[in-house]
Each structure stands twice: as C-alpha cells, then as structure tokens.
Amino acid sequence: MGKWSPADDEELATGWRLWLELSDRVWPDPSWDGTPADAIRQVRSLLAVCEEIRLSYLDENPRPSVALLQLLQSMSFVASFAVDLWHDDTHPLDVERAELLHGDLASFADHVAGVRAALARGGGWVELDRRPWGLPVD
C-alpha cells in the first residue's frame, strides 16, 4: 500500500474523514436482504462517499496530494470487479454463490484495511487503528 503524509491540516482532515468512513462499511449491515445486489449496496454507498471526499478535496486544494488521490481512487478500482459482477444480482444466495460473494467482499475488505493502515501511519493515529484487545487490524 502506498505511503501518505499530510502536507497540511486540511489534508490531514481529509485523510481522517476517509479513515472514519472506511471503518465499518464494507460488509452488509443488518438490513441486508440476503441478495448479492443488496450486499454490494453498502460498497457502492462507500464508493460514493469516497468520490464525494475526492471531489471536495480537489475543490479545496490547488495542489492536491497525489498519494491521497491514489488512495481514494484505488477504492473504486479495487471494488469495480465485485460491483460490476454483483450489483444487479437479486437472486437469493446458494452456498456456492455465497462463498464467491464472500471472497469478493473479503478481497475488498483487505484493500480497505490497507488504505486505513496507510492513512493511520501517515496521519499519526496508528494507535487508533487497533482492536480493543491490542492486536493490530492489519
């Protein structure tokens, strides 16, 4: 995963916002209806937030950080396969398709964990990116 160090407080705030948004929005929430399309709904929502953060950051910064933009853009790139594959699949899952969907979501979750780790290292809040019992998330 890339390295990022904020150039100023505004960039630090953008990194912090992204880090917070990535904290729990990869896996389906309790309202999930059991279909792949609904599981991907939350990923698509997260990607929309990432795009909002990216556009806001570009609007506010005449010289944006390439590293931060790469982290933001990597989200949609990595998620694109799973989103394209599952976004319109409204059929209930069987065991085989559930395993495939889980694998796609797990791959995306691994990427999100890497982005969060890069943000935490660059932003200086690594200690916040740990599980309650002291084990690192990544």
Side-chain angles (χ1 to χ4, degrees):
M1 188 57 49
K3 291 187 178 191
W4 167 74
S5 292
D8 55 31
D9 288 344
E10 193 171 297
E11 189 176 327
L12 180 66
T14 300
W16 176 252
R17 179 175 177 212
L18 178 59
W19 185 82
L20 289 172
E21 291 290 349
L22 297 178
S23 66
D24 66 351
R25 299 179 58 168
V26 175
W27 297 99
D29 62 23
S31 70
W32 180 45
D33 70 5
T35 65
D38 199 45
I40 292 298
R41 168 187 52 88
Q42 194 153 334
V43 172
R44 292 174 84 182
S45 173
L46 176 59
L47 296 177
V49 170
C50 289
E51 180 63 6
E52 175 190 315
I53 291 170
R54 187 184 75 81
L55 291 174
S56 175
Y57 177 65
L58 286 172
D59 188 47
E60 296 168 1
N61 290 284
R63 295 178 40 188
S65 162
V66 172
L68 184 56
L69 289 175
Q70 287 174 338
L71 289 173
L72 281 160
Q73 291 167 333
S74 74
M75 298 299 296
S76 59
F77 178 75
V78 171
S80 64
F81 175 76
V83 169
D84 289 346
L85 183 63
W86 300 106
H87 79 278
D88 60 353
D89 187 338
T90 58
H91 301 289
L93 289 168
D94 57 30
V95 172
E96 183 179 326
R97 289 174 60 245
E99 289 175 359
L100 293 170
L101 175 62
H102 182 271
D104 289 343
L105 291 175
S107 292
F108 182 61
D110 288 344
H111 180 73
V112 168
V115 170
R116 289 189 83 232
L119 291 167
R121 280 190 303 273
W125 56 82
V126 172
E127 67 279 354
L128 298 178
D129 206 10
R130 298 187 181 277
R131 297 185 192 272
W133 52 89
L135 298 174
V137 173
D138 54 343

